[in-house]
Amino acid sequence: MPVVSEIEFQDPEARVAQALSGAEHAAAPSPAPAEGDGDKMVLNMGPSHPATHGVLRIILELDGEMITKAAPDVGYLHRGDEKIAENMTFTQFIPYTDRLDYLAPLANNVAYALAVEKLLGIDKDLPPRCQYIRVICCELARISAHLLGLGAFAMDVGALTVFLHTFTEREKIYNLIEALTGARFTTTYTRIGGLSRDLPPGWVEQCRKFLAEVVVNFDESEKLLTRNRIFVDRTRDLGVISKEDAIDYGLTGPNLRGSGVDYDLRKAHPYLVYSQLKFDIPTGSVGDCYDRYLVRMEEMRQSVRILHQCLDQLPGGPVSISNGKTVLPPKEKVLTKMEELIHQFILVTQGENAPPGEIYFGAENPKGELGFYINSRGGGVPHRMKIRSPSFVNLSILSHLLPGHMMSDVVAVLGSLDFVMGAVNGL
């Protein structure tokens, strides 16, 4: 009978010391090649490559199989969203937020709406039911995005089965989103000052059923990966990002917390009703690809915990602020009452009357901090808008992180960073 040996895991302290010593050795400058050793080779990885998760091009300088220099080139999907926003009313720009991180459109909708509401000074007036439903949207989006990130990451390093498992659960989330918003992908669910519609009948029970099923999928995925010798060898002590580097490069989200930095905007700067909910913030100890995987797995479990609390505590009442000069009135009233028709006409043609000033609001999205800076000169159209894309910022560390790794390690490092190019190039 063959003997199956268990994988021996080191203590976190020993892993930290070993990984950091390896990183220091990898970061040391390579000696100049002696005459006759041959020149280094420049290799283009992407922009059309399955492991780059979109149109990312990385210019790799190789000494044999070892990377000596890496230059990411992200300019292949430029859409000019920030300039588009300056020629639209605040409400008209909501559909464009769907297409930023298109794996979490509901979370994008909520973050943008909260930024505009902060500018208008109505962020504290949101009805409780609206706030709870927005949190539900954000956490469903977090699970959906992490499931795809996990499945793609596993497939990148050779585990196709996990991808099929995670996509099965994402399809269930899309069914819930379709019932809630009328669309599966580009949701445009929020409105400035509220939501486009309330929860449909029976939706809460459907969501509870999904939550009971998805935790089983988490267990199955972990059994396939967490102690899988191939997966562990491809991810452990690889792509180590120290706490200092994570902070210096402005990383946020799971990539920051995987390096042991306990920072989450839902705790550090609570918004909506997050301050009333109980959940933990998982962090890593080494900052390698394996830690980033573990952090995302636990974040999904914490999102399930948050969703159960929201469904249990969901209050009744309206889902939008009752202010016709700021919030689009219900369609049935627009068709039957003159005052609501006038408000609808003004809001659609001129936009919300924002005061002069500038604000910034950041939300904890699945990929990290999604922030909106709005500069207003008054009126219904922003004078300037700047979008802080977490994927764009997280990718900035590649030129520092990849040198010293093997060329085959690039795939695992990119998968562990879990970025989406729609939020990198689309600004």
Side-chain angles (χ1 to χ4, degrees):
M1 292 289 290
V3 178
V4 179
S5 60
E6 289 288 332
I7 300 176
E8 296 183 4
F9 286 90
Q10 296 173 302
D11 293 333
E13 294 79 5
R15 283 185 61 206
V16 171
Q18 181 181 351
L20 289 178
S21 64
E24 291 171 0
H25 176 73
S30 303
E35 187 174 349
D37 285 351
D39 296 328
K40 295 179 181 179
M41 180 175 67
V42 176
L43 179 70
N44 281 290
M45 182 175 179
S48 296
H49 189 283
T52 57
H53 301 192
V55 283
L56 169 66
R57 176 193 182 206
I58 308 177
I59 306 169
L60 299 173
E61 183 185 86
L62 301 173
D63 185 359
E65 286 285 321
M66 192 67 67
I67 299 170
T68 58
K69 189 182 296 184
D73 183 356
V74 300
Y76 287 87
L77 192 66
H78 184 62
R79 296 176 296 188
D81 284 347
E82 293 170 338
K83 298 306 293 183
I84 290 174
E86 296 165 13
N87 295 279
M88 289 186 162
T89 67
F90 293 106
T91 298
Q92 287 173 336
F93 187 68
I94 294 175
Y96 287 83
T97 63
D98 296 334
R99 289 135 174 104
L100 297 175
D101 176 3
Y102 43 75
L103 305 181
L106 283 173
N108 304 338
N109 294 165
V110 171
Y112 171 71
L114 286 170
V116 178
E117 288 156 3
K118 183 177 180 180
L119 174 66
L120 297 174
I122 60 173
D123 51 321
K124 305 300 183 183
D125 302 330
L126 293 172
R129 185 173 179 85
C130 169
Q131 296 189 49
Y132 273 93
I133 295 176
R134 284 187 175 184
V135 170
I136 291 172
C137 291
C138 290
E139 297 310 314
L140 280 177
R142 193 178 318 278
I143 295 174
S144 176
H146 282 355
L147 283 173
L148 187 140
L150 171 63
F153 181 27
M155 186 170 62
D156 287 344
V157 295
L160 176 62
T161 305
V162 178
F163 183 82
L164 303 177
H165 276 264
T166 57
F167 256 65
T168 299
E169 298 307 309
R170 288 186 77 247
E171 192 66 20
K172 297 175 184 177
I173 295 177
Y174 278 143
N175 291 337
L176 289 170
I177 292 174
E178 183 178 23
L180 177 62
T181 70
R184 299 173 69 82
F185 203 60
T186 48
T187 53
T188 315
Y189 181 55
T190 61
R191 295 293 181 269
I192 307 305
L195 303 169
S196 62
R197 59 180 65 84
D198 202 345
L199 300 178
W203 194 89
V204 171
E205 289 71 24
Q206 296 173 21
C207 189
R208 291 187 194 277
K209 181 175 181 293
F210 162 74
L211 296 179
E213 295 172 353
V214 75
V215 292
V216 177
N217 183 278
F218 297 160
D219 294 337
E220 293 174 344
S221 297
E222 284 197 300
K223 287 179 181 177
L224 289 168
L225 292 179
T226 303
R227 297 181 64 80
N228 182 298
R229 184 176 295 276
I230 297 174
F231 182 78
V232 172
D233 288 346
R234 290 293 307 272
T235 58
R236 195 175 62 177
D237 300 333
L238 180 76
V240 177
I241 304 175
S242 67
K243 285 185 178 181
E244 294 75 18
D245 284 344
I247 294 171
D248 288 347
Y249 279 86
L251 304 190
T252 52
N255 295 320
L256 175 66
R257 294 188 285 274
S259 296
V261 181
D262 184 7
Y263 182 78
D264 188 305
L265 287 169
R266 296 172 295 174
K267 290 279 192 181
H269 304 284
Y271 51 95
L272 297 174
V273 292
Y274 278 113
S275 60
Q276 304 173 31
L277 304 172
K278 296 180 180 180
F279 60 99
D280 300 320
I281 305 301
T283 58
S285 56
V286 177
D288 54 8
C289 296
Y290 190 69
D291 268 354
R292 292 190 281 275
Y293 151 74
L294 292 175
V295 165
R296 290 189 177 92
M297 285 299 305
E298 182 57 28
E299 280 195 5
M300 290 192 289
R301 297 185 185 280
Q302 294 300 320
S303 290
V304 170
R305 182 181 174 190
I306 292 172
L307 285 166
H308 275 301
Q309 295 176 68
C310 289
L311 296 176
D312 292 340
Q313 303 172 19
L314 186 64
V319 296
S320 295
I321 298 172
S322 58
N323 182 350
K325 295 183 179 180
T326 304
V327 183
L328 287 170
K331 186 63 68 176
E332 60 272 13
K333 291 187 177 180
V334 173
L335 298 175
T336 57
K337 297 182 181 296
M338 178 58 70
E339 187 175 357
E340 278 75 6
L341 177 62
I342 295 172
H343 288 157
Q344 168 87 4
F345 180 80
I346 293 174
L347 287 174
V348 169
T349 57
Q350 301 178 16
E352 297 81 0
N353 188 21
E358 58 181 7
I359 62 96
Y360 174 82
F361 177 82
E364 188 65 42
N365 266 38
K367 303 290 189 288
E369 180 178 349
L370 173 64
F372 291 90
Y373 164 80
I374 303 175
N375 184 302
S376 171
R377 291 187 175 178
V381 177
H383 173 61
R384 291 287 184 267
M385 180 180 290
K386 173 64 181 174
I387 302 173
R388 184 204 186 276
S389 164
S391 291
F392 177 79
V393 179
N394 291 344
L395 281 179
S396 68
I397 200 171
L398 282 181
S399 58
H400 171 76
L401 183 61
L402 292 181
H405 289 84
M406 303 288 284
M407 185 178 67
S408 58
D409 295 335
V410 176
V411 177
V413 171
L414 292 179
S416 73
L417 292 178
D418 188 25
F419 55 91
V420 59
M421 295 306 293
V424 175
N425 311 141
L427 308 182

